[in-house]
Amino acid sequence: MNQLPMVDARGIHKSFGSNEVLKGIDLTVNRGEVLCLLGPSGSGKSTFLRCINHLETISGGRLFVDGELIGFHERDGVLYEMKPTDIAQQRREIGMVFQRFNLFPHLTALENVIEAPMGVKGLSKEQAVSKAREVLASVGLAEKADAYPSQLSGGQQQRVAIARALAMEPKLMLFDEPTSALDPELVGDVLDVMRKLAQSGMTMIVVTHEMGFAREVADQVVFMDQGVVVEAGAPSEVLDNPKNARTQAFLRSVI
């Protein structure tokens, strides 16, 4: 049995010019675990998430997914960035759901979902459609396969975005504040889908402000501020009994 962690981040730094956004992040997520990342706006959570699938290039450190160094080859202790085709190959294994749904407006829900399995994985249309119907059903949208994004609510669009990521059969799912652009009454359906996904054993990293979800679903909660991990542990420790004054102040402001 594979005992390697699914995500192993070691001393991750990321700077944009002179602005150091991540200042040495160490995190481990084991397979089947759900990690919820909390913190104020600008703390580096989304940047860290984008580093995991190399949408952002790290400035220092090492990032491994399932034992594989992400975005780089290492020779004699020196990192060399991979070719775009090799990076794309790694990204196939990592699903990402953004704040905004990023659906193609001119394609139906089904067509949005079959695009990558056909274009990237080389599935036949028949195989891709079969898989798409399966994942749309799993997010409660079987009957919306032929609807265009403009005919769907924000919550339904976000569930199509989740289905689109799942159609690639990733081993890791990243969620960047997936409910923050939604009307409050639409949040529940999206969180239900994510709950089921967690129960199915999917490894997930979720940047979120949904404290109830973090308390219920997370195996570990990490609080970040100003580019560092301030506090990490089980939800019962970090959310109910935070040690750090900065964590305490943040939780008071959001709960």
Side-chain angles (χ1 to χ4, degrees), residues 19-197:
N19 180 21
E20 193 179 18
V21 178
L22 299 176
K23 303 170 184 171
I25 301 289
D26 294 306
L27 275 183
T28 304
V29 185
N30 291 317
R31 56 194 65 241
E33 274 192 352
V34 177
L35 172 100
C36 283
L37 269 180
L38 313 178
S41 194
S43 58
K45 310 179 301 292
S46 295
T47 300
F48 175 67
L49 211 62
R50 292 168 66 84
C51 288
I52 295 173
N53 65 357
H54 206 69
L55 285 175
E56 297 290 356
T57 306
I58 61 174
S59 310
R62 304 281 187 279
L63 236 170
F64 298 87
V65 172
D66 203 14
E68 193 177 343
L69 186 62
I70 292 294
F72 295 92
H73 298 292
E74 185 168 2
R75 284 196 297 279
D76 302 325
V78 180
L79 293 183
Y80 300 90
E81 194 165 10
M82 286 179 173
K83 298 199 295 282
T85 48
D86 294 338
I87 292 167
Q89 190 75 21
Q90 290 186 325
R91 268 196 207 122
R92 286 168 48 161
E93 308 274 332
I94 304 170
M96 184 148 186
V97 177
F98 299 89
Q99 229 170 332
R100 298 276 164 198
F101 327 123
N102 297 352
L103 299 178
F104 295 111
H106 61 291
L107 300 180
T108 64
L110 184 83
E111 288 165 342
N112 265 284
V113 175
I114 66 175
E115 184 94 350
M118 287 171 64
V120 179
K121 286 185 105 172
L123 265 60
S124 69
K125 182 158 189 187
E126 191 183 6
Q127 289 171 314
V129 167
S130 168
K131 182 70 187 172
R133 291 198 184 280
E134 184 189 312
V135 292
L136 283 169
S138 76
V139 300
L141 291 175
E143 78 292 354
K144 296 291 187 184
D146 298 322
Y148 288 90
S150 61
Q151 299 168 311
L152 300 172
S153 72
Q156 289 170 332
Q157 289 184 60
Q158 191 59 295
R159 284 186 280 152
V160 173
I162 294 172
R164 181 178 57 183
L166 292 177
M168 291 294 285
E169 301 184 322
K171 53 189 170 189
L172 169 67
M173 283 286 283
L174 308 175
F175 292 88
D176 190 5
E177 298 197 29
T179 58
S180 64
L182 301 178
D183 293 334
E185 70 270 19
L186 302 176
V187 167
D189 289 341
V190 173
L191 293 180
D192 281 345
V193 167
M194 292 168 65
R195 238 178 239 114
K196 285 193 193 111
L197 204 49

Side-chain angles (χ1 to χ4, degrees), residues 223-241:
F223 174 68
M224 282 178 66
D225 190 28
Q226 297 182 345
V228 299
V229 171
V230 175
E231 195 157 349
S236 57
E237 295 165 21
V238 178
L239 298 178
D240 300 328
N241 193 22

